[in-house]
Each structure stands twice: as C-alpha cells, then as structure tokens.
C-alpha cells in the first residue's frame, strides 16, 4: 500500500528583518515649511494640549534661530537674557557658539514660560520636571503637524530647513548668515538638495549650497 504524501510542516521562523525606511521624497514633497505653515503649526500647538504654550514657544525658537532638536531641548535659562533680549546659542555637531537677538514676541513668550517654570534650570521641561527630550519633541512636532492638517508628515529638523529657505528667499548674503550660524561657509558643495534649490532665483547656486551645508 502506497504511503500518503507527508503534509508540509508550517515554518516557525520569524522574519526579523528591519523594514526599510521609505526615502523622504516618498513621504513628503519638500523638507521645509513656509511662514504661513509655521504659524499654523504654532496655533495648533497652543490648542492641542495643556502644554500648548511650551510647545508653541519651542517651535518659535527653533524656527527663528535655526536650532537642532538637541539644541532646543537642552536650552537653559542661563543662556537667555530676557532684559537684554539675547540668546546664547550653544551649537551641536562641532558648531561655534554665538549670541542671537530675541524678538519682542520671543521675549514675551519666554517670560510667560518662566513664570510657569521657576524652579528648573531648563527652559523646556516635561510633565515630570525633567528637560525635554529629542524623542518627545519629535512626537510633539509630528502630532502637531497632524493637528494643523498639514498636507504631509513633518519632523523637527524641517524647522531648521525652513529658516534656510526663508533666508534664501529674502536674498540673505553669506556674511550675515555666517554670523548668525557662527560657522565657516564653504562654497565647494555641489550636491544641493531640492528643498533649497527652489528658493529665490536671485539667490546664487553657490550661496544656496553653502546654506544647505550648514543647515543639515
């Protein structure tokens, strides 16, 4: 009598391969936000949670001063002169520290934040009183972007890119930019990303490349 064919045993192997992340070009059409979109983002942040003022102020300072997520999260009150209207920026990634002027809007927002947070040495703190984290800021920006009904997902570094986009459209020259970011400008880079290419046509390719190099 012929034996019946053995039934295949289901595989118990688990595919532990990490899924490949889609490139940015598939996630969003650009890597910056316009001024109107920044305003929408701040407005949504104010309404989204009970920490709305804190989140809106983080967005404002990050955009105005081209800060990285780690730089804004580690910001301390001893870096801010509310009476003198100055912000002492401590750059990450080997950047050179510098002093930036604060606008009246920023000073008012920071004064309100200080009244709500008199004990911590950090400007932006969590519910438990510790300094804000880059992971938390990432989630906040992503969720606030959804609340603002922006047409694509966003991340914190896009605020820094937005600063460069505005400077490019305003026709900013390299010298003021170098002073603002406290970094040496190199004009040798040619691989200019698309988010900076579409700035003002009067802003030269070499200058655009240099801006990109120090905003990434």
């Amino acid at each position: 009598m012929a034996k019946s064919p053995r039934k295949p045993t289901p595989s118990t192997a688990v595919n532990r391969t990490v899924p490949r992340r889609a490139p940015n070009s598939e996630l969003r059409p650009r890597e910056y936000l316009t001024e109107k979109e920044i305003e929408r983002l701040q407005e949504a942040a104010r309404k989204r949670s009970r920490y709305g003022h804190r989140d809106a102020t983080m967005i404002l300072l990050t955009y105005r001063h081209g800060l990285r997520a780690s730089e804004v999260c580690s910001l301390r009150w001893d870096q801010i002169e509310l009476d003198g209207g100055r912000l002492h920026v401590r750059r990450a990634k080997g950047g050179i520290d510098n002093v930036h002027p604060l606008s009246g809007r920023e000073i008012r927002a920071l004064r309100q934040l200080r009244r709500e947070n008199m004990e911590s040495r950090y400007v932006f703190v969590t519910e438990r009183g510790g300094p804000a984290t880059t992971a938390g800021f990432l989630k906040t920006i992503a969720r606030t972007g959804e609340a603002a009904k922006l047409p694509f997902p966003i991340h914190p570094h896009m605020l820094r890119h937005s600063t460069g986009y505005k400077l490019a459209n305003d026709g900013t020259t390299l010298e003021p930019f170098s002073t603002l970011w406290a970094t040496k400008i190199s004009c040798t880079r040619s691989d200019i990303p698309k988010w900076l290419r579409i700035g003002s046509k009067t802003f030269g390719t070499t200058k655009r490349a240099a801006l990109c190099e120090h905003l990434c």
Side-chain angles (χ1 to χ4, degrees):
M1 183 176 179
K3 293 183 179 180
S4 59
R6 180 180 296 179
K7 294 182 180 180
T9 304
S11 175
T12 58
V14 179
N15 184 2
R16 300 184 183 278
T17 305
V18 178
R20 185 177 180 182
R21 181 185 178 279
N24 287 342
S25 58
E26 293 182 9
L27 297 175
R28 57 187 70 86
R30 48 188 163 89
E31 287 296 316
Y32 66 90
L33 299 175
T34 63
E35 283 190 87
K36 289 185 178 180
E37 289 171 335
I38 294 289
E39 291 293 336
R40 284 172 56 187
L41 195 65
Q42 291 181 73
E43 188 62 29
R46 294 187 189 98
K47 299 176 181 179
R48 197 181 69 86
S49 72
R50 56 179 173 170
Y51 300 106
H53 178 69
R54 177 203 65 185
D55 296 342
T57 306
M58 286 186 81
I59 293 169
L60 176 64
L61 263 68
T62 303
Y63 170 64
R64 285 285 181 88
H65 303 281
L67 301 177
R68 297 181 176 89
S70 60
E71 293 168 352
V72 70
C73 288
S74 62
L75 194 64
R76 300 192 318 215
W77 286 113
D78 58 12
Q79 295 175 241
I80 298 174
E81 297 179 40
L82 292 174
D83 293 333
R86 286 184 291 270
L87 170 65
H88 297 260
V89 180
R90 294 173 184 168
R91 290 295 182 190
K93 290 190 175 182
I96 304 171
D97 299 345
N98 203 351
V99 181
H100 292 190
L102 289 169
S103 65
R105 181 181 176 186
E106 291 173 282
I107 293 173
R108 289 190 294 272
L110 287 167
R111 285 190 188 279
Q112 179 179 338
L113 202 64
R114 188 54 169 162
R115 288 193 294 269
E116 299 170 356
N117 172 26
M118 296 296 294
E119 297 180 359
S120 177
R121 62 175 179 169
Y122 290 98
V123 179
F124 302 109
V125 297
T126 63
E127 188 173 9
R128 295 183 178 183
T133 64
T134 55
F137 190 38
L138 174 65
K139 293 177 182 177
T140 296
I141 292 297
R143 292 168 182 170
T144 305
E146 294 175 359
K149 297 183 179 180
L150 296 180
F152 45 80
I154 63 173
H155 56 82
H157 207 69
M158 290 176 69
L159 300 177
R160 182 170 165 87
H161 287 177
S162 303
T163 313
Y165 174 77
K166 184 180 187 305
L167 289 173
N169 274 339
D170 289 348
T172 305
T173 59
L174 290 182
E175 186 175 354
F177 174 82
S178 179
T179 301
L180 180 63
W181 261 260
T183 184
K184 294 181 179 179
I185 298 295
S186 171
C187 298
T188 59
R189 182 168 174 174
S190 58
D191 52 329
I192 309 166
K194 293 179 181 178
W195 67 266
L196 199 49
R197 285 182 195 158
I198 59 179
S200 171
K201 293 181 180 179
T202 60
F203 199 76
T205 300
T206 303
K207 296 176 183 178
R208 212 185 307 270
L211 277 174
C212 158
E213 184 171 1
H214 297 284
L215 282 172
C216 295

